[in-house]
Amino acid sequence: MDLDAFRWLLTDAGQRLLDRAGGLVDVDPLLAQTTLRREADAEHAAAALTQARLRVRAEAKFGDLAARMYFTPDGLEQATRLAVATHRAARLQAYAARTLVDLGCGVGGDLVAAARAGLTCAGVDLDPVRVAVAEANLAALDLPGAVVVADATTVDPFPFDVAFADPARRGARGRTFDVDDWTPPWSFVERLLRRDSCVKVAPGIPHDLVPAGVEAEWVSDRGEVKEAALWSGGLATTARRATVIGDGGLATVTDEDAPALGDGVDVRPVGQYLYEPDGAVVRAGLVTAVAAAVQGGLVDEHIAYVTGDAAHRSPLARGYEVLEELPYREKALRAALRERRIGTLTIKKRGVDVVPEQLRKRLSLGGDEEGTLVLTRVAGAGTALLVRPLA
């Protein structure tokens, strides 16, 4: 997005055009553009229509706030979901942090959450457009804060209680998993983690990459693992944590809740119930915490499924009643499912080389019943379990 075009959107005339564009997001793009061209030039019409469409897309991340906020396409893609950013801001608030510097603030999603929690915030970013968007978002939501164009690696974070960073994980060829290709690079992150800081990283970060004394927290929002965050200094409260955000609120579990395999939690035969730990729990390596909570065990020491003999409801795992074990071989499995008149089949799998969509097509089911099939390894052997989700 062009900086001048975005700044024009903030004028009275731009706001009127943006309101008009908001009513055209579901209209044919050519017709919408033609309609707006009656009131503005092509550049401003395109900017207003793009912004209106981004606001619609942003509702999934920012809810009702999206209608008042501003975005760029890549800035929206990289922005933290409001629920996750709000959780992070609550941790900073609990720590009694008063000031925060966001080193690479993007469009200001984390700035907004921190400012709403009462912190005095400053943001820096190399991109003048993102800085302008972040400023506009703070102003639109009537929140205090300052944002400037600067290289995060040159900013002194020590006047602030906490430094936050969200390194860009894209290189010249797109998304990168090499931490040295991040912007700023991993060496910058390591320096930052020597003080009270929080760094947002990809959920696939290897455990052995986390520096000693730093807490790694994996966060999921409504079943989707969105990120990991590294907390250092006084902000670190444990080694590994999984936080699950759902409609019922927030649940968290740490390595202190997860016994070692063999220390109260063992591999055992499949019981009456099967539990599928949330992805954040799996990423954090805390599956045994779920097993301990349901008084169960693991179906296999390398598989993130828990089994037990009693029904439990937990925000940390999805529960299923095990109805029966079916044949694992495809031909016999097809016959068993057809015998049970199952035509609509949900396939879940862990630890086996199966593509659910392809298998479902090959099974060619046509009954009038619904079913859920779990394909996994139990004590090292491929196993098919017909289960029913717990309400």
Side-chain angles (χ1 to χ4, degrees):
M1 181 183 298
D2 179 78
L3 180 59
D4 290 336
F6 176 73
R7 285 176 172 163
W8 182 85
L9 281 182
L10 303 179
T11 67
D12 291 342
Q15 291 294 290
R16 288 193 295 271
L17 190 68
L18 185 54
D19 288 342
R20 182 86 171 100
L24 298 172
V25 291
D26 295 324
V27 175
D28 176 79
L30 182 58
L31 177 59
Q33 183 77 5
T34 301
T35 302
L36 293 181
R37 282 296 309 276
R38 297 170 186 159
E39 305 175 35
D41 61 32
E43 183 181 26
H44 292 157
L49 196 56
T50 296
Q51 199 58 233
R53 287 175 175 154
L54 287 172
R55 283 179 167 179
V56 172
R57 285 172 47 195
E59 289 176 4
K61 282 191 173 183
F62 291 92
D64 295 340
L65 295 186
R68 290 184 284 159
M69 294 178 68
Y70 301 89
F71 306 96
T72 65
D74 58 345
L76 174 56
E77 180 183 348
Q78 296 167 23
T80 305
R81 284 195 186 191
L82 182 61
V84 178
T86 298
H87 159 65
R88 181 158 41 239
R91 284 196 61 167
L92 296 174
Q93 190 178 41
Y95 180 64
R98 294 169 299 172
T99 59
L100 171 78
V101 60
D102 188 337
L103 301 170
C105 64
V107 298
D110 284 282
L111 279 179
V112 164
R116 292 177 83 201
L119 278 76
T120 300
C121 302
V124 302
D125 201 283
L126 273 174
D127 185 346
V129 175
R130 291 190 181 189
V131 167
V133 172
E135 284 180 327
N137 283 331
L138 290 173
L141 299 175
D142 196 25
L143 295 170
V147 192
V148 297
V149 177
D151 182 343
T153 62
T154 67
V155 175
D156 179 10
F158 284 93
F160 298 87
D161 292 338
V162 175
F164 173 74
D166 178 8
R169 295 177 288 278
R170 288 186 176 275
R173 298 182 179 179
R175 187 175 296 276
T176 177
F177 298 97
D178 186 342
V179 296
D180 292 323
D181 289 336
W182 291 1
T183 307
W186 182 250
S187 57
F188 169 82
V189 172
E190 289 181 309
R191 290 195 301 273
L192 202 62
L193 291 175
R194 294 171 188 157
R195 50 150 293 154
D196 291 351
S197 298
C198 178
V199 179
K200 175 181 171 182
V201 295
I205 185 171
H207 288 200
D208 59 6
L209 192 62
V210 179
V214 172
E215 174 188 334
E217 178 187 26
W218 284 261
V219 182
S220 72
D221 183 20
R222 288 163 179 79
E224 294 182 55
V225 184
K226 304 311 299 181
E227 65 175 62
L230 304 181
W231 300 87
S232 64
L235 292 163
T237 59
T238 189
R240 287 172 288 127
R241 178 186 299 274
T243 297
V244 177
I245 301 171
D247 294 332
L250 179 148
T252 190
V253 65
T254 76
D255 56 308
E256 297 170 5
D257 304 304
L261 196 59
D263 185 16
V265 171
D266 298 293
V267 176
R268 50 153 291 176
V270 176
Q272 189 175 352
Y273 297 92
L274 188 73
Y275 297 92
E276 180 183 36
D278 183 271
V281 176
V282 177
R283 292 276 192 174
L286 302 176
V287 173
T288 58
V290 172
V294 303
Q295 299 176 326
L298 306 187
V299 301
D300 186 286
E301 63 178 315
H302 302 297
I303 303 296
Y305 274 128
V306 169
T307 188
D309 299 316
H312 292 268
R313 286 167 176 79
S314 169
L316 300 173
R318 181 73 189 274
Y320 302 88
E321 180 183 5
V322 178
L323 302 178
E324 58 182 316
E325 181 175 345
L326 298 182
Y328 187 73
R329 292 181 178 275
E330 189 172 311
K331 184 176 179 180
L333 175 62
R334 181 189 303 113
L337 292 170
R338 288 180 176 177
E339 181 181 348
R340 289 155 181 76
R341 300 189 57 77
I342 294 176
T344 302
L345 184 66
T346 298
I347 302 176
K348 307 184 76 65
K349 63 102 175 185
R350 281 184 177 173
V352 293
D353 187 16
V354 173
V355 179
E357 295 77 13
Q358 296 177 4
L359 174 61
R360 189 182 299 107
K361 185 177 181 180
R362 292 197 305 269
L363 290 172
S364 301
L365 302 175
D368 53 9
E369 298 292 330
E370 295 185 7
T372 300
L373 183 70
V374 173
L375 300 175
T376 188
R377 292 201 314 270
V378 174
T383 302
L385 300 172
L386 188 64
V387 301
R388 178 190 296 124
L390 295 178

